[in-house]
Amino acid sequence: MKILAMETSAKACSAAVTEGGQVLASCYQNTGLTHSRTLMPMVESMLKNAELTMGDLSAVAVSVGPGSFTGIRIGVAAAKGLAFAAGLPAAGVSTLEAMALGLSHMDALIVCAMDARRNQVYNALFEAKNGNLTRLCGDRAIGLPELAEELKSDPRPKIAVGDGGALCQKALEESGIPCELAPARLLHQNAVGVALAAEELAAEGKLTTAQELSPVYLRPAQAERLRDRIKKENGK
């Protein structure tokens, strides 16, 4: 089955089409332009150049979080619209799992990290061995000191990946924990990983509908936290 995937959870924006684990088309942009300007033109031009239409596709996939609140909403809204209009099933993919798939060929503990500010990262851990990826924990927001404490006795070689990878690597190294940084070409989130993760969901019969597709936030947006703090301070 051919799957169209989109990734908008961080600064980079990308789209891809895969079939049976093979990349048929992909487009990636990390120029600082807003996803609302770049995503749909990117998808349209990629499909046109690959001589594909929405009718050739079997499902639409998107990274649903964690990540940028605005970026995730843009990607999910686009995926819902495309899937609904074409009558296709959808797949909501963990941003962290999608990025880990890019390193599944490396025998190591994959430390996925996205900068969550306040000395925290959005994180998940995966073991990559013999080309297979095993999830070791759920997606979470965790402080860098807590993550270092958790990993200090783990003997496996470690590779940090994601837009918070460098931040994570530095924190672990400062705690005396050896950790490599993923190669630059594999460091950032990419729609190819989203599509490959969606293929696995499809094989397990876990696709969803456009209506049911929704973002996954690990903590409230800053505006919501500020609102709740003000209410608390005002005794409401």
Side-chain angles (χ1 to χ4, degrees):
M1 64 187 312
K2 293 183 179 69
I3 293 182
L4 166 65
M6 293 168 283
E7 208 330 313
T8 59
S9 65
K11 292 181 179 179
C13 181
S14 57
V17 177
T18 64
E19 181 178 27
Q22 300 296 315
V23 181
L24 301 184
S26 67
C27 188
Y28 178 94
Q29 188 167 317
N30 189 12
T31 60
L33 297 177
T34 60
H35 302 336
S36 59
R37 289 177 53 191
T38 58
L39 178 60
M40 290 310 298
M42 182 182 295
V43 170
E44 292 169 1
S45 63
M46 178 188 69
L47 292 177
K48 181 178 180 180
N49 289 338
E51 296 185 347
L52 293 170
T53 69
M54 293 300 298
D56 298 317
L57 304 175
S58 304
V60 178
V62 66
S63 58
V64 294
S68 159
F69 292 94
T70 300
I72 292 169
R73 285 195 293 266
I74 290 171
V76 170
K80 288 172 72 74
L82 289 170
F84 183 79
L88 295 174
V93 173
S94 160
T95 306
L96 299 168
E97 183 170 348
M99 69 172 72
L101 279 168
L103 299 174
S104 60
H105 62 289
M106 306 180 77
D107 289 352
L109 179 67
I110 309 302
V111 184
C112 300
M114 299 181 68
D115 188 359
R117 310 298 181 186
R118 299 183 297 173
N119 206 34
Q120 287 189 328
V121 289
Y122 296 126
N123 165 258
L125 302 174
F126 296 83
E127 181 181 41
K129 191 171 185 179
N130 299 325
N132 296 312
L133 201 64
T134 302
R135 180 184 277 274
L136 302 179
C137 70
D139 293 356
R140 59 191 178 174
I142 187 172
L144 289 169
E146 289 79 9
L147 181 60
E149 179 66 22
E150 180 179 329
L151 297 180
K152 69 179 183 181
S153 59
D154 193 312
R156 289 172 288 194
K158 299 166 185 66
I159 302 176
V161 63
D163 65 342
L167 181 69
C168 187
Q169 181 205 31
K170 180 181 177 182
L172 294 180
E173 293 279 0
E174 289 176 348
S175 298
I177 304 171
C179 181
E180 296 182 20
L181 189 63
R185 68 184 184 281
L186 301 175
L187 181 61
H188 294 286
Q189 296 87 319
N190 195 301
V192 171
V194 176
L196 295 178
E199 286 190 7
E200 295 181 3
L201 290 175
E204 297 169 1
K206 295 182 179 179
L207 295 180
T208 186
T209 65
Q211 292 88 340
E212 294 171 325
L213 194 64
S214 61
V216 175
Y217 300 131
L218 296 185
R219 69 185 192 195
Q222 182 177 356
E224 294 175 2
R225 295 196 300 271
L226 179 60
R227 179 198 62 198
D228 292 342
R229 189 181 73 185
I230 292 174
K231 284 184 177 180
K232 184 178 180 180
E233 290 174 350
N234 291 336
K236 296 181 180 180

